[in-house]
Amino acid sequence: MTTSPLFKTVCFVGIGLIGSSLARAMRKHGLAERLLCLDVCEKARTTALALSVVDSATGNAAEAISEADLIVLGAPVGATQAVGEAIGPHLKPGAIVTDVGSVKLAVIRDLTPYLPEGVEFVPGHPIAGTEHSGPESGFAELFEGRWQILTPLPGCDQKAVDKVAELWRRVGSQVEIMDPHHHDKVLAITSHLPHLIAYTIVGTANDLEGHMQQEVIKFSASGFRDFTRIAASDPIMWRDVFLNNREAVLEVLQRFTEDLTALQRSIRWGEGEVLQKRFTETRAIRRAIIDAKQA
Amino acid sequence: MTTSPLFKTVCFVGIGLIGSSLARAMRKHGLAERLLCLDVCEKARTTALALSVVDSATGNAAEAISEADLIVLGAPVGATQAVGEAIGPHLKPGAIVTDVGSVKLAVIRDLTPYLPEGVEFVPGHPIAGTEHSGPESGFAELFEGRWQILTPLPGCDQKAVDKVAELWRRVGSQVEIMDPHHHDKVLAITSHLPHLIAYTIVGTANDLEGHMQQEVIKFSASGFRDFTRIAASDPIMWRDVFLNNREAVLEVLQRFTEDLTALQRSIRWGEGEVLQKRFTETRAIRRAIIDAKQA
């Protein structure tokens, strides 16, 4: 079945793991006529071009943006204001802007002031990724069977939302519409806290004296290893996530710390029944995840 | 190549994931003439027999132990004293006892008083496992390419150590000799702390109101999911690990909590450079694990 392209010209602003995966998927499924990228990093532009992820790559915003019908922001969320400032004046009327940032309120706050009349913004977040970064790490199948969350604002043109939702469906995702505030709270638990904890424990191990550290690496298969994969994620992306979802992260971190302190106390005082009860309860969540086919 | 059996009669005391995997591997590689199991749990005995994991299963210690040349303890480490009391009187001279417990000092402390003269004890810990429990979850390949740590005590017969080491090599493991005290410190970091943290974060999510919990399950692929696998491990086994490696776990937990508190403070005060530096350092450990072929 051949389908007509959903968009004529698409511009990826920041061509990393996610942007380059979406570009590859759009090409694979014939969803755009032309794929451009705007990236401040020359190496990323050269790589994206060399791998034919995009048809054209530039560091010049006017050139990249002025003809784009869809603009996909894939830069770290801390760069949103700078990106808005750079692209805002060149957006053409009728263009749709979307993003793939892991936090939504901060991106909406930082980008909206730069968007001219007649341009629609449909914030988004694909629940997909790997611990690798850069355009060379992307692949067209990354979004297949995964969730795509969209957090459109009241007053946004429904046709723009539908079109962005259709794009994600065509690359294999299931689309969920959510309030941006709620998104940031849910992701603080499912994603931001797990990453913070993984970074912490790997950091704790990294601070050990050399001899001990070698053994931690050698015997990492006993649990530690799983955390190191998460803690190998892009440092700048994650710095920006924590700085831009501060309240939700600190709140859930507070809950976590209380729970950890309670378990610590049970270990200290030998409260075996408390430990066993707690460790049994957690199995239900694993079963629910398996049942939801997310395992 | 056919090899002569290393042992005549082997008895597994506690036939769960690890015991049944070793039994299957020993059968596959022809390492024993007869495989028995002693387990207090009737269901485990029935399953092990039905799956032909062992040739004979009983709840009677005298029957199971009196002819065994090798006894492999695979019960939760908290049961070690009871196991010692049950099997001690029936151990035959020249028998070798080994175990697969995740902590070593406590097992040595609890078992040694029950071992008669002429019986050698070679404590061990295979760095292998899955989140599944019970004899039905075992498989013969579990130990292939994994580490087996042995922590023999001073004065132990070297021939017994060599024989147990040879057994693990024949089922595919690499053997490492270690001091038991050092083992417990290393494993507190690589295994016990990661499990405690995974149990905690999954518990924190489990305490959320129903609506929020459903969404955590739905969007668990964003990081949380990896923790739920670890937190689905056997509750009784892990209760016993924490109660029996208390000092080492509490010490490393203290380091972890300090590091987490420091990151929390950096998030609160917007210290982006501190976060970025910390998140960059952790990538080195991941690379080292990949280089060590433990990823």
Side-chain angles (χ1 to χ4, degrees):
Chain A
M1 186 184 84
T2 53
T3 50
S4 61
L6 270 175
F7 298 97
K8 203 163 175 298
T9 302
V10 177
C11 181
F12 293 87
V13 181
I15 189 88
L17 168 68
I18 301 292
S20 85
S21 292
L22 185 58
R24 288 169 210 250
M26 289 188 79
R27 203 191 284 287
K28 179 179 166 185
H29 296 287
L31 302 178
E33 284 179 20
R34 239 174 106 220
L35 299 171
L36 314 177
C37 99
L38 172 67
D39 203 304
V40 289
C41 168
E42 203 196 319
K43 190 167 162 257
R45 295 198 302 265
T46 313
T47 307
L49 263 184
L51 298 172
S52 297
V53 169
V54 292
D55 302 306
S56 159
T58 176
N60 182 313
E63 201 182 304
I65 300 298
S66 52
E67 289 181 26
D69 306 292
L70 176 72
I71 296 91
V72 181
L73 309 187
V77 295
T80 305
Q81 216 171 330
V83 166
E85 208 166 354
I87 70 169
H90 310 294
L91 289 162
K92 73 171 183 185
I96 298 173
V97 177
T98 190
D99 80 306
V100 297
S102 301
V103 301
K104 298 273 55 81
L105 283 179
V107 168
I108 293 167
R109 174 198 68 201
D110 290 350
L111 188 69
T112 310
Y114 299 100
L115 300 178
E117 279 286 317
V119 168
E120 296 293 338
F121 178 37
V122 184
H125 178 204
I127 309 301
T130 75
E131 71 274 28
H132 305 295
S133 341
E136 66 279 16
S137 310
F139 53 100
E141 298 74 25
L142 180 59
F143 310 107
E144 290 176 8
R146 312 303 293 270
W147 288 101
Q148 167 66 20
I149 300 176
L150 297 180
T151 65
L153 297 167
C156 177
D157 181 15
Q158 188 58 41
K159 277 189 299 219
V161 178
D162 292 345
K163 214 166 166 187
V164 172
E166 182 61 18
L167 162 63
W168 287 101
R169 278 191 211 101
R170 297 261 195 110
V171 300
S173 293
Q174 258 190 292
V175 175
E176 176 93 358
I177 304 289
M178 209 185 264
D179 169 78
H181 185 255
H182 187 67
H183 167 279
D184 287 1
K185 279 182 72 172
V186 171
L187 270 290
I189 301 165
T190 60
S191 178
H192 308 169
L193 180 62
H195 276 81
L196 186 66
I197 286 165
Y199 276 123
T200 305
I201 190 170
V202 179
T204 303
N206 196 46
D207 289 344
L208 294 168
E209 53 278 32
H211 170 62
M212 200 68 164
Q213 206 184 102
Q214 286 313 307
E215 293 192 304
V216 168
I217 288 161
K218 200 163 172 180
F219 303 114
S220 59
S222 49
F224 181 70
R225 176 181 59 185
D226 297 350
F227 291 73
T228 64
R229 197 187 56 74
I230 301 177
S233 303
D234 186 31
I236 293 176
M237 169 191 159
W238 282 99
R239 174 199 69 192
D240 285 2
V241 166
F242 295 119
L243 295 179
N244 286 283
N245 197 21
R246 178 156 36 189
E247 282 73 22
V249 168
L250 290 178
E251 195 201 310
V252 69
L253 185 53
Q254 186 58 40
R255 285 188 185 220
F256 171 83
T257 306
E258 282 167 22
D259 293 343
L260 184 61
T261 305
L263 283 180
Q264 182 173 355
R265 192 177 182 285
S266 293
I267 293 172
R268 193 178 298 283
W269 294 98
E271 296 168 352
E273 279 172 42
V274 177
L275 297 177
Q276 188 182 337
K277 183 171 174 292
R278 198 70 180 158
F279 298 167
T280 305
E281 286 165 357
T282 51
R283 290 190 137 181
I285 291 239
R286 179 67 186 170
R287 275 193 299 271
I289 286 174
I290 290 168
D291 292 346
K293 299 197 172 26
Q294 295 297 312
Chain B
M1 187 184 79
T2 51
T3 51
S4 61
L6 270 175
F7 299 95
K8 203 162 175 299
T9 303
V10 177
C11 181
F12 293 87
V13 181
I15 190 87
L17 168 69
I18 300 292
S20 84
S21 293
L22 185 57
R24 288 169 210 250
M26 288 186 80
R27 203 190 286 286
K28 180 179 165 185
H29 297 287
L31 303 178
E33 284 179 21
R34 240 173 105 219
L35 300 171
L36 315 177
C37 99
L38 170 68
D39 203 305
V40 289
C41 168
E42 203 196 319
K43 190 168 162 256
R45 295 198 303 264
T46 314
T47 307
L49 263 184
L51 297 172
S52 297
V53 169
V54 290
D55 302 307
S56 160
T58 176
N60 182 313
E63 200 182 304
I65 299 299
S66 52
E67 289 182 26
D69 307 292
L70 176 72
I71 296 92
V72 181
L73 309 186
V77 295
T80 306
Q81 217 173 330
V83 165
E85 209 166 352
I87 69 168
H90 310 293
L91 289 163
K92 73 171 184 186
I96 299 173
V97 177
T98 189
D99 80 306
V100 297
S102 302
V103 302
K104 299 273 56 82
L105 282 179
V107 169
I108 293 167
R109 176 198 66 203
D110 291 349
L111 188 69
T112 309
Y114 298 99
L115 299 179
E117 278 287 315
V119 168
E120 296 292 338
F121 178 36
V122 184
H125 179 203
I127 309 302
T130 75
E131 71 274 28
H132 305 295
S133 341
E136 66 279 15
S137 311
F139 52 99
E141 298 74 25
L142 179 60
F143 310 107
E144 290 177 7
R146 313 301 294 269
W147 287 101
Q148 168 66 21
I149 300 176
L150 296 180
T151 64
L153 296 167
C156 178
D157 181 15
Q158 187 59 41
K159 276 189 298 221
V161 178
D162 291 345
K163 213 166 167 188
V164 172
E166 182 61 18
L167 162 64
W168 287 101
R169 278 190 210 100
R170 295 261 195 110
V171 301
S173 294
Q174 257 190 292
V175 175
E176 177 92 359
I177 305 288
M178 209 185 264
D179 168 78
H181 185 256
H182 187 66
H183 167 279
D184 287 1
K185 280 182 72 171
V186 171
L187 271 290
I189 301 165
T190 60
S191 177
H192 308 170
L193 179 62
H195 276 80
L196 185 66
I197 286 165
Y199 276 123
T200 305
I201 189 169
V202 178
T204 303
N206 196 45
D207 290 342
L208 294 169
E209 53 276 35
H211 170 63
M212 200 67 164
Q213 207 184 101
Q214 285 313 307
E215 294 192 305
V216 168
I217 289 161
K218 200 164 172 180
F219 303 115
S220 59
S222 48
F224 181 71
R225 176 180 61 183
D226 297 350
F227 291 72
T228 64
R229 197 186 56 73
I230 301 178
S233 302
D234 186 31
I236 293 177
M237 169 191 160
W238 282 99
R239 173 200 70 191
D240 285 2
V241 167
F242 295 119
L243 296 179
N244 286 283
N245 197 20
R246 179 157 35 190
E247 283 72 24
V249 169
L250 290 177
E251 194 200 309
V252 69
L253 184 53
Q254 186 58 39
R255 284 188 186 221
F256 171 83
T257 306
E258 282 168 21
D259 293 343
L260 184 61
T261 304
L263 284 179
Q264 181 174 355
R265 191 177 183 284
S266 292
I267 293 172
R268 192 178 299 283
W269 294 98
E271 295 168 352
E273 279 172 44
V274 177
L275 297 177
Q276 187 182 337
K277 182 171 175 293
R278 198 71 179 156
F279 299 166
T280 304
E281 286 165 358
T282 52
R283 291 191 136 181
I285 291 241
R286 180 69 187 168
R287 274 193 299 272
I289 286 174
I290 292 169
D291 293 345
K293 299 199 175 21
Q294 294 297 313

